[in-house]
Every structure is written in structure tokens, then in C-alpha cells.
Amino acid sequence: RDILDIPILEVMSAARYAIEQQISMPTEDLKRLTSQLLGFSRKRNNLYMITEQAIQLLIDKEIFSHANGMVSMNNLGSWLLSYEGETG
């Protein structure tokens, strides 16, 4: 199947899975690993565009953080845990 046939949410899920396994990685490595998780082994223009879009959406939604060319999970999860501990 072509990358354009894959829903963007599926691409976002693959990127999130990759970051959860690696903690943090360079953006280009994340694009490559996301592509591999979706079953693609060669770089293609559409593949680059869609993985870039998925990663940017995750950054925009503050699920990922991006700094100095590195992407990582946002610290929102740990903040929620510490917040729940303070109120309970």
C-alpha cells in the first residue's frame, strides 16, 4: 500500500510508539523508524512528507517535544502523576 492510503492517525501512532521505545531521538531517525514500523524501507517524497506531518501534529498537540533537532515525549504524563499525588 502507499503511504497516502494510511490514515494520519496511524502514522502518528507509529511515531509515538517509536518514541516510547527510544525515549528521544533525532527527527530524521524518527521519520525513518516510523516509516519502517509502517512497512516502508525506502525513502520516498510522500513518505517524508507524511511522517513529517505526523510528527509535527504530535508536537503541536504537545505530545512530543522538539529541541535541538531531537524529538522526545512531552513531560505531561509525569506532570499528571505528580499533580494527582498532591491532590490525593
Side-chain angles (χ1 to χ4, degrees), residues 15-66:
R16 186 171 179 169
Y17 177 81
I19 284 293
E20 287 173 347
Q21 302 305 306
Q22 301 292 325
I23 310 292
S24 178
M25 67 175 61
T27 305
E28 293 303 314
D29 290 351
L30 178 56
K31 290 177 197 174
R32 189 183 81 260
L33 185 53
T34 300
S35 299
Q36 290 173 348
L37 288 169
L38 294 168
F40 297 95
S41 58
R42 296 185 205 166
K43 280 188 172 182
R44 299 177 197 159
N45 287 341
N46 287 341
L47 189 58
Y48 179 87
M49 178 185 67
I50 297 297
T51 54
E52 175 78 28
Q53 181 182 11
I55 292 165
Q56 189 58 53
L57 283 168
L58 288 161
I59 292 167
D60 293 346
K61 292 180 179 290
E62 299 182 356
I63 295 169
F64 283 179
S65 296
H66 183 259

